[in-house]
Amino acid sequence: MKAGTFVWATFLVLAALQFSQSAHGQAGGREGASGVEAEADRPTAFVTVDGRALFRVRGFSAFPAKERAEAIAKRIVAIANDATVSPDSLRAVEAEQVTNILAGDRIIMAVTDADASLEGGVSRPLLAKAFLLRIAEATSVYRQDRSLRQLLTNTGYALGATVVLGIVLVLVRRLFLRLDAVAEKRFKSRVEALRIQSFQVVQTESFWKSVRTTFRTVRTIAVLACLVVYAQVVLGLYPWTRPTAQHLLLMLLDPLRNMALGFIAMLPNLAFLAILFVVMRYLLRLLRLFFSAIEHGTVTFSGFEREWALPTFRMVRVLVVAFALVVGYPYLPGSQSEAFKGVSILLGIMFSLGSSTAIANIIAGYSLTYRRAYRIGDRVKIGDVLGDVAEMRLQVTHLRSLKNEEIVIPNSTIMNTHVINYSSLAAQHGLILHTTVGIGYETPWRQVEAMLIEAAGRTPGLLREPRPFVLQKSLDDFAVTYEINVYTDQPQAGPRLYAALHRSILDVFNEYGVQIMTPAYEGDPEQAKLVPKDKWFELPAKVEESSGDSRPNATAPASETRAGKA
């Protein structure tokens, strides 16, 4: 069958269809229109050969439209592959309630009244004639596309397209290299001048990295566009890959189209989430200002400590954010999908199993804050660790040891051990520092207590009120153990004050000629274990006027005082 014959026959069939539709429309009225609409709602499928849609057919409950269309397409392909069957041999044969389209003795399809109803009431024989022409044309095109001459011609076109693609890619590369060079030549010196004048407000390297990244991104998009066009052209030249070529662009654009449609559909929800975000943001700002005023003492409440302001704000912030999540969750994109719910449950289980210790530390941190166990700057002893509180966080507490070491202790550990705070009462009542000495029984206890009180008075940094006092801790085998207790309001100066107190005790006892018998006494030595005053500053020791060690009016030993009076 010649191409001209196909064209004229198709034209005549379409004209007859149009005339038939017009006649039905005028005769049928509203009932015909409603019938067409009802038929249009029923499922249909297109018969497709080599990516070309020929016509559509109706399905039945036992034979769905898609399966019927695929079966008809397979029969058309089988006829096209059979060189013994000529397109001119196709014919339409009327049967009871159907019109069969045959190729020789083989049936290709049966046209039913239901198929005719899809075309607005066209008669079944006329529709069968149109289907026959489409099948004959598809058979001829199918054979022509697979002929050796056509395949060689298409291969030549493919090689030509490949050469063009290579030329285009080279031009694209040179174009962007040229743009990069021009941009660097014209603008780099200006950016450098801006960097010098603005004290490096604009970082040159960072700026050029962003510019070149933009160029690379645009170049990549251009290259991908060229490759897509090339693939679509080349794949469309061959019948086996033509369906892929026809759907290639759709495969690339459909995800973008779906995302765009989904985004448009979610605009009301996104608007609600945006408004919720703004409201909650300003609410948190107001709460922060309120608790900051409490922290700085601008706003006061009876029984509410200023140190509680920041931890309380953190808890309130968590509650506000949790409330916002509960309100906004139904409006999140995809929140109603099963995948989203499954991932949420998985994350919740993982968080519950992995954060038990962290939650325990957070709860312990808040408990320690509201119990006022210590504050930042306090000298504390937690378990066996002694140091100053440097930072209090939700999960851990940072201590700075006496050797300037940072020690991090989990709050849950602190809750399970004892805490000694040396600073909490020091400012009002004073912290008691104490040390012990062992003095022999031959020394009157009144003299020992007086010397210890005098040593405490000589020690700088100790409080004069309350007054120091002495306790006799024990009567040991060889000596009496005395404890001197003194007051200070500087807990952080404890080691320095202890050292100064010990030095004063040594000086006073040497001045009065009393031996310190600690730790044990076994017999009187031939020479008293004392350090003469003229040997107090043996090398490399140096006299320090400010320390009081070389005072000219220092209290003389009791024996020297009595000798002077005599």
Side-chain angles (χ1 to χ4, degrees):
M1 181 179 297
K2 297 182 180 180
T5 305
F6 278 117
V7 172
W8 282 107
T10 303
F11 175 79
L12 292 175
V13 171
L14 291 177
L17 290 175
Q18 182 66 28
F19 176 80
S20 177
Q21 287 179 357
S22 301
H24 260 282
Q26 296 175 357
R30 293 183 179 181
E31 294 181 358
S34 61
V36 171
E37 292 178 357
E39 292 294 338
D41 293 336
R42 297 181 182 180
T44 61
F46 279 97
V47 177
T48 304
V49 177
D50 281 350
R52 296 189 179 94
L54 304 181
F55 47 82
R56 60 176 181 166
V57 294
R58 277 281 310 275
F60 309 97
S61 58
F63 198 15
K66 184 177 180 181
E67 295 182 6
R68 184 187 176 199
E70 291 176 353
I72 295 173
K74 289 180 180 179
R75 297 191 194 104
I76 295 174
V77 171
I79 295 298
N81 287 325
D82 190 353
T84 62
V85 178
S86 172
D88 296 333
S89 64
L90 299 179
R91 67 184 190 277
V93 178
E94 290 294 329
E96 186 178 358
Q97 296 183 352
V98 295
T99 302
N100 294 321
I101 298 178
L102 303 177
D105 295 333
R106 290 185 290 181
I107 185 170
I108 298 176
M109 66 174 296
V111 181
T112 65
D113 293 332
D115 295 326
S117 65
L118 291 176
E119 306 299 335
V122 176
S123 64
R124 188 181 72 240
L126 188 60
L127 182 63
K129 184 64 176 178
F131 284 178
L132 186 148
L133 294 176
R134 293 289 290 168
I135 294 173
E137 181 184 5
T139 303
S140 300
V141 173
Y142 183 92
R143 294 175 178 178
Q144 183 180 359
D145 288 343
R146 286 163 176 76
S147 64
L148 180 59
R149 181 178 179 180
Q150 188 65 39
L151 291 177
L152 292 177
T153 302
N154 292 341
T155 302
Y157 291 152
L159 293 176
T162 304
V163 173
V164 172
L165 175 66
I167 295 173
V168 171
L169 293 180
V170 170
L171 292 177
V172 169
R173 182 175 181 276
R174 291 185 177 180
L175 174 63
F176 280 95
L177 289 177
R178 181 62 177 172
L179 290 176
D180 188 37
V182 170
E184 184 174 2
K185 181 179 179 180
R186 291 190 176 182
F187 301 109
K188 189 173 184 180
S189 58
R190 300 180 184 179
V191 175
E192 185 69 21
L194 178 62
R195 181 184 69 84
I196 295 173
Q197 295 174 6
S198 58
F199 300 101
Q200 293 188 347
V201 173
V202 178
Q203 297 291 336
T204 308
E205 294 299 328
S206 301
F207 177 79
W208 281 114
K209 284 183 179 179
S210 61
V211 171
R212 287 174 177 170
T213 300
T214 303
F215 281 165
R216 283 195 293 267
T217 303
V218 175
R219 184 178 65 182
T220 302
I221 294 175
V223 171
L224 290 177
C226 293
L227 291 176
V228 169
V229 173
Y230 169 78
Q232 195 168 12
V233 170
V234 173
L235 294 177
L237 294 175
Y238 299 97
W240 303 279
T241 57
R242 189 174 295 127
T244 303
Q246 293 176 349
H247 295 88
L248 179 62
L249 193 59
L250 293 178
M251 287 189 294
L252 297 176
L253 296 182
D254 273 353
L256 299 177
R257 182 177 63 86
N258 293 334
M259 286 189 289
L261 294 177
F263 177 78
I264 294 173
M266 292 300 299
L267 281 179
N269 292 347
L270 294 177
F272 176 83
L273 293 176
I275 296 174
L276 179 65
F277 173 78
V278 173
V279 171
M280 291 302 165
R281 182 179 178 85
Y282 280 99
L283 177 60
L284 290 176
R285 286 187 177 181
L286 292 175
L287 290 174
R288 187 174 186 86
L289 290 175
F290 175 71
F291 284 103
S292 295
I294 296 177
E295 185 178 14
H296 293 92
T298 307
V299 178
T300 58
F301 292 96
S302 177
F304 192 89
E305 299 293 334
R306 294 169 57 180
E307 292 79 8
W308 297 348
L310 184 58
T312 305
F313 167 71
R314 290 172 178 169
M315 286 195 299
V316 173
R317 181 176 60 185
V318 170
L319 294 177
V320 171
V321 173
F323 174 76
L325 291 177
V326 171
V327 173
Y329 177 83
Y331 297 90
L332 291 175
S335 60
Q336 304 303 322
S337 65
E338 296 299 329
F340 191 95
K341 296 177 182 178
V343 172
S344 301
I345 295 174
L346 177 62
L347 293 178
I349 295 175
M350 293 175 60
F351 181 79
S352 301
L353 295 177
S355 62
S356 57
T357 303
I359 294 176
N361 286 327
I362 292 174
I363 295 175
Y366 278 113
S367 178
L368 291 171
T369 299
Y370 289 106
R371 289 183 181 182
R372 301 175 61 186
Y374 47 77
R375 302 177 181 179
I376 294 178
D378 287 356
R379 172 65 58 84
V380 297
K381 185 176 183 180
I382 301 175
D384 297 329
V385 180
L386 177 65
D388 299 329
V389 179
E391 188 176 7
M392 298 171 60
R393 304 182 69 88
L394 286 179
Q395 298 195 46
V396 296
T397 297
H398 295 256
L399 297 185
R400 184 175 61 252
S401 71
L402 305 184
K403 302 299 182 182
N404 202 28
E405 302 164 333
E406 184 178 14
I407 304 173
V408 181
I409 305 176
N411 290 331
S412 58
T413 302
I414 300 175
M415 287 291 294
N416 295 324
T417 187
H418 62 278
V419 178
I420 301 176
N421 193 328
Y422 298 99
S423 302
S424 58
L425 302 177
Q428 297 180 354
H429 306 287
L431 175 67
I432 298 178
L433 305 180
H434 53 86
T435 188
T436 59
V437 294
I439 307 299
Y441 283 95
E442 71 279 2
T443 305
W445 63 269
R446 295 175 179 83
Q447 181 187 13
V448 175
E449 291 187 4
M451 288 189 294
L452 291 174
I453 296 297
E454 182 177 347
R458 292 186 184 184
T459 304
L462 299 178
L463 298 177
R464 297 296 178 259
E465 293 293 338
R467 297 179 60 83
F469 60 92
V470 179
L471 299 176
Q472 295 184 16
K473 297 290 290 183
S474 62
L475 303 177
D476 299 323
D477 293 336
F478 306 107
V480 180
T481 301
Y482 297 88
E483 181 184 77
I484 175 67
N485 295 267
V486 295
Y487 290 85
T488 182
D489 57 356
Q490 305 174 27
Q492 282 77 10
R496 178 176 57 82
L497 295 176
Y498 269 119
L501 179 61
H502 292 157
R503 287 194 292 265
S504 299
I505 291 174
L506 291 174
D507 290 346
V508 170
F509 275 68
N510 272 284
E511 291 175 5
Y512 287 94
V514 177
Q515 299 184 79
I516 297 177
M517 308 306 295
T518 306
Y521 173 78
E522 294 183 359
D524 292 326
E526 295 181 359
Q527 184 177 0
K529 299 297 184 181
L530 301 173
V531 179
K533 189 173 183 179
D534 58 350
K535 295 185 179 297
W536 283 6
F537 297 98
E538 291 289 334
L539 294 176
K542 297 180 180 180
V543 179
E544 296 182 3
E545 296 293 338
S546 61
S547 64
D549 292 335
S550 60
R551 294 190 304 269
N553 296 326
T555 304
S559 59
E560 294 181 5
T561 303
R562 287 193 298 271
K565 289 182 179 181

